[in-house]
Amino acid sequence: MALTLSTGSGFWNPVVWLIAIAVVVVVVYLVWRRGEAGYTAGSAQVKPFISGNAEPAKKVAQMPASNLYWGFTEALSGYYSRVVPAHTGIVTDYLLWVLWVTAALFLLVVIT
Amino acid sequence: MFANLPYLTVVVLTVIGLSIILLKRNMVKVTMGLNILTSAVNLLIIVLGYREGGIAPIYTLAPQTYMVLPTPQALCLTSIVIGVATTALLLSFTMVIYRKYGTVNVAEMRELKE
Amino acid sequence: MIPQFLWDHAPAMTVAVPLLAAFLCPLIGKFTATGRKAWVLAAAAATSALALFTAWRVYTMGTWVYVFGATVPNLSVPPDSGGIPIRIIFEVDAMSALMLVIVAIVGFSVILYSLSADGKRSGLEGYYTLFLLLIASIVGMVSTGDLFNFFVFFEISGLASAALVAYRVEAGRAVEAGLKYFVVSTLAGIFMLFVIAILYGQYNALNIAMLASRMQFTMLDKIALVLIIGALATKAGSVPMHFWTPDAYALAPSSVTALLVVASQASLYGLFRLIFTLYNLSLNAATVGWVLIILGVLSMFVGVTMAIPQKDVKRLMAYHAISQTGYMLLGVGTGLAVLGNVAMLDAFGRMAMEGGIFHIINHAIYKGLLFLTAGAIIYRVGTRDMNRMGGLGHRMKWTMIFFMIGALAIAGIPPFNGFASKLMIYESVYLFNPVLAIIAMVVSILTLASFVKVFHSIFMGPQLPEYEHVEEAPTAMLWGMGILAALVILFGLFPQQVVDSLITPAANALLDQSGYLASILGGA
């Protein structure tokens, strides 16, 4: 069985990757083995330890989706402020885009 | 001049249809514009198959064998049937949206955007 | 073992079975709801089996020409017709067979999933009719060898998908999405009809092989080419004609969305088929190739950047579907751009096309999987808004595992299938133009970033009090997802086998125009 994917100028072998994953799993297991032996579920040990402060409510600790990548969209705001409003949601604009692109292709393919 | 009249009609219908779907904001009128565009293409297909002086392509008891092409007519018939289904679906969507949103203006049907 | 009529008529039956089963659904549903479920599942299984059988025969025995209404099913040019293929002809070559495999896999898993996900909802009379109709139309689109027949199936798929998108009214918003999709789809249909008129007017034929053999590449043919690209790239959801995609994908029921992805790819197949088989070398390959590449790069970049700030999980995934379509356009466009140059085609063009085509099947599988997991989450939680989800990994472990497999595959992380096809695209496109390969890699990184966000906000974090009693998705839904997830891993672990047995024949079939013509017109 040829497990190597040949891509013309390179190759890729999933088996090597799987062996690497297996090694990582073994290391993880060894580290886990060295953990605290006296762990009991359901006791105070399970509680999160935040430097002695009380645990905040679950709702507060949860980070909602729209806060992630705020920095990314803010940094690219010049791009986003143009592209996002282009998605107007008006159906005739959609048609206009289709015709516009077809016209551009017409210039490109037919005239040249 | 008159030989080209049907083609001229196709061009006129296409321009009318395109300007309706681009300029009008009423969904019912946009549907009409799409219909006019379909009719323009249907007319084009029929005209392509027309032979001057030809008869309907029915071979039984045909007085002559110089006939118009049957295939474009079959294509056109199929396309008309598809057009009917399309129009019905578009208009029923418009109807439901009018009930829910209270408008047929495409500029106001934009709950989904960005 | 396999009955003789299958050997003779399987391509036609792959369309006929779902078509007839579709219109019997409401009748059976009148008497028994369980009977309808069994009927739909049996019809889907039969369709998939027929499609796989057809594909298997094509891969082992070469292109399969099926002529409707002929005395002998493979008599494409009757002796009294004057050398013209007068009947409607299905021509299933390796590329069509690949698409049939996709329809078979995704169609069956999606039906299995849908029977559980939508089974308890009202108004199922027409739902499965439309569902099977959509499958039939996709099968027809990919196997037909006749331009007008292609148009008819194209319109059926538009009608069926629009009606399915709008099926759950959702206070009018789903209908709005269906309307937008259908208006754009109708315009694309008018374009295709215009193309048919132009080509028929010049060459007096509708059969793709016949048209290709008579192709002169006049001014009118160039206009037809532009309209073909405009219409089919719109239906495939390529930027900047992609606006209908997020609306329709987000509001459709999840099982429908997974099938809509396949329907879009059938349009993409049509685009590639018409460019490569109808025009091939007669067109200006470099210009059209670059057109596809530019559309592809725009789709990749705009798709992924629009996905990042989304809050609606399915809308986000829909933008990723656009972005992944870009990879296919990039891969096949690169192959097209060097079509006339044999040395460059052999050096990397062929590999780029194989990568693009491999990505079609991979994308159909992992994107279908992702939409199904999103559907399972929505089914249990009742919202599509990611801001209101969180901590679901505690309760929906299987769904989380399937989501992880899909998300890693779409981001091109080894050893899943997305990586294999993306690697082929990167390495071959790099030889063509390094900038394009770098853009493709950046887009992959952004894809991973955006799926990390989805994964974190849906599954990670503390268990929220309102989702304490959320249960795992029903078993039938898990099976539907499981089939696709298993294939994602399988294709990722044995990419070379898949490429050798499915992809290379498909790419060769696209490139080999004379072979396609010869199988219909004989040696002529």
Side-chain angles (χ1 to χ4, degrees):
Chain A
M1 290 262 269
L3 278 168
T4 309
L5 173 72
S6 143
T7 60
S9 52
F11 65 91
W12 151 246
N13 194 330
V15 175
V16 176
W17 185 270
L18 283 185
I19 292 170
I21 288 183
V23 170
V24 170
V25 167
V26 168
V27 169
V28 166
Y29 176 74
L30 290 177
V31 172
W32 181 78
R33 277 276 309 260
R34 293 181 54 82
E36 183 64 49
Y39 172 82
T40 39
S43 69
Q45 284 175 325
V46 198
K47 285 256 171 79
F49 178 72
I50 311 170
S51 304
N53 297 318
E55 186 197 349
K58 299 287 188 204
K59 200 73 198 174
V60 182
Q62 165 72 16
M63 185 194 279
S66 49
N67 295 6
L68 288 163
Y69 297 126
W70 172 84
F72 182 83
T73 48
E74 191 65 21
L76 287 180
S77 59
Y79 167 80
Y80 276 108
S81 62
R82 285 179 181 82
V83 172
V84 172
H87 296 70
T88 48
I90 299 174
V91 71
T92 45
D93 286 3
Y94 295 10
L95 295 178
L96 187 63
W97 273 103
V98 174
L99 292 169
W100 198 85
V101 170
T102 315
L105 287 180
F106 183 81
L107 287 179
L108 204 66
V109 176
V110 179
I111 308 299
T112 58
Chain B
M1 172 64 213
F2 281 112
N4 283 331
L5 199 59
Y7 293 101
L8 207 63
T9 319
V10 170
V11 173
V12 170
L13 282 177
T14 311
V15 171
I16 291 175
L18 283 180
S19 40
I20 289 177
I21 62 173
L22 294 181
L23 299 176
K24 292 292 173 186
R25 287 285 160 119
N26 185 328
M27 195 51 226
V28 179
K29 287 182 183 166
V30 174
T31 310
M32 288 161 115
L34 287 170
N35 259 321
I36 291 174
L37 268 180
T38 318
S39 314
V41 184
N42 285 342
L43 182 62
L44 177 64
I45 293 179
I46 285 294
V47 168
L48 288 172
Y50 181 71
R51 296 291 177 269
E52 197 155 4
I55 58 163
I58 305 165
Y59 274 89
T60 319
L61 299 178
Q64 61 183 70
T65 51
Y66 189 73
M67 300 167 175
V68 298
L69 296 186
T71 318
Q73 302 191 352
L75 302 188
C76 189
L77 198 61
T78 315
S79 140
I80 288 172
V81 172
I82 291 173
V84 169
T86 306
T87 312
L89 194 60
L90 279 175
L91 288 178
S92 51
F93 281 171
T94 314
M95 210 171 71
V96 175
I97 289 181
Y98 182 74
R99 274 193 203 142
K100 300 284 179 187
Y101 292 4
T103 175
V104 288
N105 186 342
V106 291
E108 289 164 27
M109 302 175 193
R110 45 188 298 205
E111 295 275 306
L112 310 162
K113 57 180 178 185
E114 288 165 8
Chain C
M1 193 185 91
I2 299 165
Q4 184 62 37
F5 69 92
L6 272 186
W7 283 106
D8 290 339
H9 301 291
M13 285 175 64
T14 318
V15 178
V17 165
L19 204 60
L20 294 178
F23 291 106
L24 280 176
C25 271
L27 187 68
I28 293 173
K30 266 227 157 346
F31 301 110
T32 145
T34 330
R36 179 178 55 212
K37 271 190 180 181
W39 174 257
V40 171
L41 194 62
T47 313
S48 294
L50 281 166
L52 287 177
F53 169 72
T54 312
W56 170 77
R57 205 191 109 161
V58 169
Y59 275 117
T60 49
M61 298 165 71
T63 306
W64 192 347
V65 174
Y66 181 85
V67 186
F68 282 87
T71 44
V72 188
N74 58 4
L75 184 69
S76 55
V77 185
D80 57 346
S81 71
I84 301 168
I86 47 170
R87 294 197 163 88
I88 291 176
I89 295 175
F90 268 18
E91 175 158 13
V92 189
D93 67 355
M95 183 67 205
S96 316
L98 178 75
M99 298 302 295
L100 283 178
V101 171
I102 296 175
V103 180
I105 294 169
V106 179
F108 181 72
S109 344
V110 156
I111 290 268
L112 190 62
Y113 175 96
S114 161
L115 287 175
S116 163
D118 307 315
K120 291 199 178 63
R121 307 189 71 162
S122 61
L124 289 175
E125 296 84 14
Y127 187 72
Y128 289 112
T129 306
L130 291 166
F131 223 117
L132 290 171
L133 208 55
L134 183 56
I135 292 181
S137 70
I138 297 170
V139 170
M141 271 170 84
V142 301
S143 36
T144 188
D146 184 286
L147 201 54
F148 192 74
N149 206 223
F150 180 82
F151 164 77
V152 171
F153 283 120
F154 181 81
E155 286 285 354
I156 295 175
S157 101
L159 278 162
S161 0
L164 279 172
V165 169
Y167 210 86
R168 309 274 168 232
V169 179
E170 307 218 7
R173 281 179 307 154
V175 179
E176 185 192 331
L179 178 75
K180 287 173 177 174
Y181 170 57
F182 198 47
V183 169
V184 176
S185 166
T186 307
L187 188 68
I190 291 170
F191 278 13
M192 283 308 288
L193 196 62
F194 197 53
V195 167
I196 290 167
I198 290 174
L199 293 176
Y200 185 82
Q202 289 187 92
Y203 304 117
N204 273 325
L206 291 168
N207 188 283
I208 295 176
M210 197 68 208
L211 282 171
S213 73
R214 294 179 173 177
M215 178 60 64
Q216 307 286 324
F217 206 51
T218 58
M219 180 61 117
L220 282 172
D221 292 333
K222 289 183 184 174
I223 295 175
L225 175 68
V226 167
L227 290 173
I228 287 172
I229 298 177
L232 293 175
T234 304
K235 283 277 283 194
S238 150
V239 173
M241 297 95 92
H242 65 291
F243 298 100
W244 62 270
T245 324
D247 297 351
Y249 283 11
L251 269 296
S254 295
S255 40
V256 172
T257 316
L259 205 54
L260 278 182
V261 172
V262 183
S264 297
Q265 287 179 335
S267 297
L268 202 64
Y269 157 85
L271 180 63
F272 296 159
R273 165 63 73 211
L274 291 179
I275 285 180
F276 279 95
T277 305
L278 191 55
Y279 288 92
N280 205 290
L281 275 179
S282 64
L283 49 73
N284 185 351
T287 312
V288 181
W290 271 101
V291 164
L292 291 192
I293 291 173
I294 291 167
L295 286 177
V297 169
L298 274 176
S299 305
M300 286 194 301
F301 192 73
V302 176
V304 82
T305 44
M306 281 303 294
I308 284 178
Q310 296 301 322
K311 289 189 279 295
D312 178 334
V313 55
K314 284 184 70 184
R315 203 170 170 82
L316 182 142
M317 288 182 179
Y319 276 113
H320 279 296
I322 297 169
S323 154
Q324 299 301 311
T325 308
Y327 281 92
M328 303 159 206
L329 286 168
L330 173 64
V332 178
T334 304
L336 183 62
V338 297
L339 190 61
N341 186 331
V342 178
M344 283 163 96
L345 188 65
D346 285 338
F348 56 84
R350 210 172 276 272
M351 189 52 70
M353 280 188 65
E354 283 175 18
I357 293 168
F358 195 14
H359 209 63
I360 294 182
I361 186 165
N362 287 343
H363 177 244
I365 294 172
Y366 63 63
K367 183 55 84 174
L369 173 63
L370 281 173
F371 275 121
L372 295 190
T373 51
I377 295 159
I378 295 162
Y379 181 76
R380 284 303 188 205
V381 175
T383 172
R384 287 200 308 268
D385 188 351
M386 284 192 292
N387 285 340
R388 292 170 55 199
M389 297 179 188
L392 291 171
H394 294 275
R395 307 285 302 187
M396 303 178 77
K397 290 204 170 54
W398 279 105
T399 312
M400 177 171 76
I401 291 170
F402 290 145
F403 180 88
M404 272 170 80
I405 292 172
L408 292 176
I410 196 176
I413 301 296
F416 299 107
N417 62 359
F419 174 73
S421 50
K422 281 186 178 179
L423 185 72
M424 288 164 78
I425 294 175
Y426 297 153
E427 298 211 333
S428 48
V429 171
Y430 187 84
L431 291 176
F432 176 66
N433 189 335
V435 178
L436 296 177
I438 291 166
I439 294 174
M441 285 184 215
V442 169
V443 168
S444 256
I445 295 166
L446 292 176
T447 308
L448 181 62
S450 119
F451 271 95
V452 166
K453 160 185 156 175
V454 180
F455 184 69
H456 180 272
S457 53
I458 294 181
F459 294 108
M460 293 288 108
Q463 196 170 0
L464 294 181
E466 61 263 43
Y467 301 136
E468 238 162 42
H469 303 293
V470 167
E471 282 174 38
E472 181 57 275
T475 321
M477 288 164 80
L478 289 179
W479 270 108
M481 294 185 257
I483 294 173
L484 295 176
L487 283 168
V488 168
I489 296 174
L490 202 66
F491 280 24
L493 289 183
F494 303 104
Q496 187 65 40
Q497 273 76 13
V498 179
V499 169
D500 282 345
S501 53
L502 296 178
I503 310 300
T504 310
N508 289 340
L510 265 190
L511 286 167
D512 180 20
Q513 187 199 20
S514 54
Y516 189 90
L517 266 58
S519 51
I520 284 207
L521 304 173

